[in-house]
Amino acid sequence: MRFSDTIPIPSREAQTHSAQLVERIREAIIANHGQISFRQFMHMALYEPQLGYYVAGLNKFGASGDFVTAPEISALFSQCLAQQCAQILSDLGGGSILELGAGSGRMATDLLLHLQNQQQLPEHYYILELSPDLRARQQALLKAQLPNFFEHIHWLDHLPETPLQGVIVANEVLDAMPVELFSLVDGERVTRYVQWQHEQFCFDAAPSNYTSEYNPALSAWMASLAESLAVGAILLIDYGYEAADYYHPDRNQGTLICHYQHRVHDNPLIYPGLQDITASVDFSAVAKAGLEAGLTLAGYTNQAAFLASCGLEALFMQALNNAPEQQYALAQQVRTLCLPSEMGERFKVMGFTKAFTSSLDGFRLSDRRHCL
Ligand SMILES: C[S@@+](CC[C@H](N)C(=O)[O-])C[C@H]1O[C@@H](n2cnc3c(N)ncnc32)[C@H](O)[C@@H]1O
């Protein structure tokens, strides 16, 4: 990952917005005797009501935002995922889909349009969305694109109380969950804290040259997903590594990065509320948490192999037939999704099942569960 040398200066309006959040975080630090854990800082920076990055109404996704996710790059991504969902729903004899953290609503739209074309629409499509602003955007897009199915799309404030038959999907949700930062001191993990000094946020001093992070909410989150699923599968897509790679001594600065207007840098303490803060996913920990929650680990591979297993080539040829003038653009999209130097290797797909015995098509060509 190449970090940017310069980060754009936010507009006056954006600075005013951020200043309000700075004040709120500063108050939390004062109330907590001078410091808060990095996890609390990250939680407030991303999810503080009205002000946090994912909660406030800033445009985050796509060319005019801060970063681009796979569904924003190409409809082919969501079509491949739709193929996997169709296999599961067909084997189950019907069911619903629940998407967590649906962003702009692009993935839901392209996934449902594909299932509609295949006459394999789910009974319901649920979206659990924490951000009121994103929820409104998703509703506008889905209403315009799928008017006949719109009444079957439901927005949730929390996971469903009645366990679902079908598929739970989450693209780039795990990486947006607040992490605890730690330094290794004499082999022990020492939690890192954020303080307010000289009119800015700073880290507490840590006498260590190894810093990394972990997601303390992971086990509880996986357990709640497992409880929300009666029968079917869970598909988690994100960038990350297996534990041995994640916590390798050479990766001594962890994986935490920030996105601001398509610049990538490593200072999470600036621009609270304006920039994305994210950590890669430890997929060994996700697998362990899923197994402890009673799920079956059904497959693990990289994004390129998953998309190929779901029929990317045929979908690409079909898209080309429908729009030959798009040949260059479509080929470019496939490269971005699949090349190892782009998203193909760094992004992984992990599948869990519950009371479901069929193999998942997406892991047909490659399954790296043995690496976890
Ligand atoms: C990087 S965005 C990805 C959005 C979208 N899935 C995409 O691929 O474009 C992360 C999303 O995860 C959501 N999120 C974070 N924690 C969540 C949780 N515990 N449950 C549901 N959504 C969550 C955020 O609100 C945000 O919408």
Side-chain angles (χ1 to χ4, degrees):
M1 173 87 40
R2 226 171 57 80
F3 286 167
S4 304
D5 300 330
T6 54
I7 310 166
I9 306 287
S11 67
R12 194 176 288 263
E13 188 194 357
Q15 289 187 34
T16 306
H17 172 98
S18 186
Q20 291 178 65
L21 185 52
V22 166
E23 189 49 28
R24 237 185 254 182
I25 299 174
R26 210 173 66 83
E27 283 164 11
I29 289 176
I30 292 166
N32 207 43
H33 311 292
Q35 58 183 18
I36 55 175
S37 68
F38 178 74
R39 181 196 185 193
Q40 188 180 347
F41 177 89
M42 183 167 166
H43 189 267
M44 291 185 81
L46 297 185
Y47 301 108
E48 180 68 10
Q50 289 101 43
L51 295 171
Y53 179 74
Y54 279 114
V55 182
L58 301 163
N59 188 26
K60 307 151 192 54
F61 306 98
S64 61
D66 300 308
F67 54 83
V68 185
T69 59
E72 305 285 336
I73 288 166
S74 176
L76 292 168
F77 173 85
S78 306
Q79 290 168 6
C80 287
L81 196 57
Q83 296 277 102
Q84 175 60 93
C85 290
Q87 181 227 337
I88 298 162
L89 294 179
S90 152
D91 285 9
L92 287 173
S96 297
I97 299 175
L98 163 62
E99 182 181 353
L100 310 173
S104 68
R106 192 73 256 165
M107 186 171 102
T109 302
D110 290 331
L111 192 151
L112 286 168
L113 284 173
H114 186 73
L115 292 179
Q116 184 171 261
N117 286 341
Q118 311 287 314
Q119 298 183 337
Q120 287 181 304
L121 278 168
E123 285 160 28
H124 300 277
Y125 195 92
Y126 299 100
I127 295 180
L128 172 57
E129 180 53 65
L130 307 175
S131 157
D133 166 64
L134 290 179
R135 184 185 283 223
R137 289 188 208 194
Q138 293 156 12
Q139 285 169 341
L141 183 65
L142 283 155
K143 193 168 192 175
Q145 298 284 320
L146 288 127
N148 297 332
F149 186 70
F150 189 68
E151 64 183 301
H152 300 278
I153 308 176
H154 314 276
W155 277 264
L156 308 177
D157 293 323
H158 44 73
L159 287 167
E161 269 140 37
T162 309
L164 173 111
Q165 165 167 320
V167 194
I168 299 178
V169 291
N171 185 58
E172 287 206 38
V173 170
L174 275 163
D175 73 73
M177 290 171 74
V179 289
E180 204 73 273
L181 273 192
F182 66 88
S183 289
L184 273 189
V185 180
D186 298 330
E188 297 288 321
R189 287 184 176 194
V190 177
T191 303
R192 302 297 306 277
Y193 289 88
V194 176
Q195 302 172 343
W196 177 259
Q197 283 180 20
H198 311 298
E199 299 302 302
Q200 60 186 356
F201 295 117
C202 61
F203 282 111
D204 61 340
S208 163
N209 55 10
Y210 184 95
T211 297
S212 193
E213 61 281 318
Y214 68 99
N215 174 355
L218 185 59
S219 292
W221 191 69
M222 286 305 300
S224 62
L225 291 193
E227 260 178 48
S228 306
L229 185 71
V231 47
I234 299 173
L235 298 166
L236 305 175
I237 307 161
D238 226 308
Y239 40 93
Y241 313 96
E242 298 97 51
D245 194 354
Y246 199 106
Y247 294 112
H248 193 279
D250 287 348
R251 202 184 294 285
N252 61 0
Q253 294 305 307
T255 70
L256 199 74
I257 52 167
C258 308
H259 294 101
Y260 183 64
Q261 296 186 358
H262 296 277
R263 306 316 196 276
V264 181
H265 69 94
D266 63 353
N267 186 355
L269 302 185
I270 61 165
Y271 301 171
L274 304 183
Q275 66 170 355
D276 186 29
I277 308 173
T278 161
S280 294
V281 174
D282 169 4
F283 275 102
S284 301
V286 178
K288 184 166 175 279
L291 292 171
E292 281 168 5
L295 296 166
T296 301
L297 181 61
Y300 170 65
T301 191
N302 65 25
Q303 178 168 294
F306 180 82
L307 297 180
S309 299
C310 289
L312 177 62
E313 193 179 340
L315 290 165
F316 172 72
M317 296 311 289
Q318 199 178 359
L320 209 52
N321 272 342
N322 294 343
E325 74 287 359
Q326 293 287 318
Q327 179 175 5
Y328 178 78
L330 286 164
Q332 200 57 35
Q333 291 167 17
V334 171
R335 279 189 208 108
T336 307
L337 292 176
C338 295
L339 278 181
S341 54
E342 301 271 350
M343 303 177 85
E345 175 55 33
R346 198 161 68 93
F347 281 72
K348 311 288 192 312
V349 185
M350 181 164 270
F352 293 98
T353 52
K354 184 168 176 183
F356 182 82
T357 49
S358 313
S359 304
L360 299 183
D361 283 352
F363 305 101
R364 200 168 40 86
L365 297 175
S366 150
D367 191 344
R368 291 169 29 180
R369 278 176 291 181
H370 60 279
C371 298
L372 289 163

